[in-house]
Amino acid sequence: MVKEEVVNFKLSKALYDMGQAVVDTGGAESMSAFVGVSVSNQSAIDMNALNSNTPFTVRETRTEYSKGRGADWRMVSVRVHSAVLQVVDILVSEGAAENRSEYFRRAFTEEVRRRRDVPHSYADLEARILSSDAFKRAVISVVKEMFSPILHLFKLQG
């Protein structure tokens, strides 16, 4: 028998919608599956950090909950295997988050960020490369090298 527990956590509507977009475009089977992948990926990253005695990469976030009109938060409930929760509890006790809910929120946020940062098509990759500062520096270097003999002639005549 598989022992599972339910974990509840809140997400801003905007962040929830980004996760739902992953589901809608086939990046995950369901929101629960996306949360599972998020926690799995984040716990692997955090366990690696814990084992190598490096600090957890925790970006500062401020969570403010509002009630009533204008409250743009979504509650997410997901069933999680007890073994996964044991790992999460270890990571929480080591400072990866304040509590389970915060860990799940952090894992979800980081997974959305990782997926956003990965190019999704050749055109996206090409645009990122062409607009990068490293590419611009490389082009300038090549142009200088190509035209240095000509530029040298202009310096001699001037």
Side-chain angles (χ1 to χ4, degrees), residues 16-151:
Y16 179 89
D17 289 346
M18 286 185 237
Q20 188 61 50
V22 171
V23 174
D24 292 344
T25 58
E29 195 173 294
S30 65
M31 185 60 83
S32 292
F34 182 67
V35 171
V37 167
S38 301
V39 171
S40 176
N41 288 342
Q42 191 61 49
S43 62
I45 291 167
D46 290 342
M47 287 301 286
N48 189 32
L50 182 62
N51 289 334
S52 63
N53 291 324
T54 57
F56 297 114
T57 304
V58 180
R59 292 177 174 85
E60 184 177 338
T61 58
R62 192 172 51 201
T63 304
E64 298 174 10
Y65 298 109
S66 57
K67 294 184 178 183
R69 191 175 183 137
D72 269 347
W73 294 92
R74 299 293 179 263
M75 180 64 76
V76 178
S77 294
V78 62
R79 290 190 180 280
V80 183
H81 192 281
S82 60
V84 172
L85 289 178
Q86 288 175 347
V87 171
V88 169
D89 289 342
I90 290 168
L91 292 167
V92 167
S93 71
E94 293 293 330
E98 290 180 24
N99 54 47
R100 282 181 181 175
S101 295
E102 183 60 37
Y103 191 86
F104 275 69
R105 185 174 19 265
R106 176 175 162 248
F108 189 96
T109 302
E110 292 301 319
E111 186 66 22
V112 167
R113 181 176 287 124
R114 283 188 289 271
R115 289 182 186 232
R116 181 196 65 209
D117 292 344
V118 173
H120 297 287
S121 67
Y122 179 76
D124 186 22
L125 177 62
E126 181 181 39
R128 289 177 189 219
I129 290 170
L130 293 176
S131 66
S132 72
D133 288 339
F135 181 78
K136 291 173 186 174
R137 284 191 299 273
V139 168
I140 290 170
S141 174
V142 167
V143 168
K144 281 182 178 178
E145 189 176 315
M146 285 174 51
F147 290 104
S148 65
I150 296 170
L151 293 173

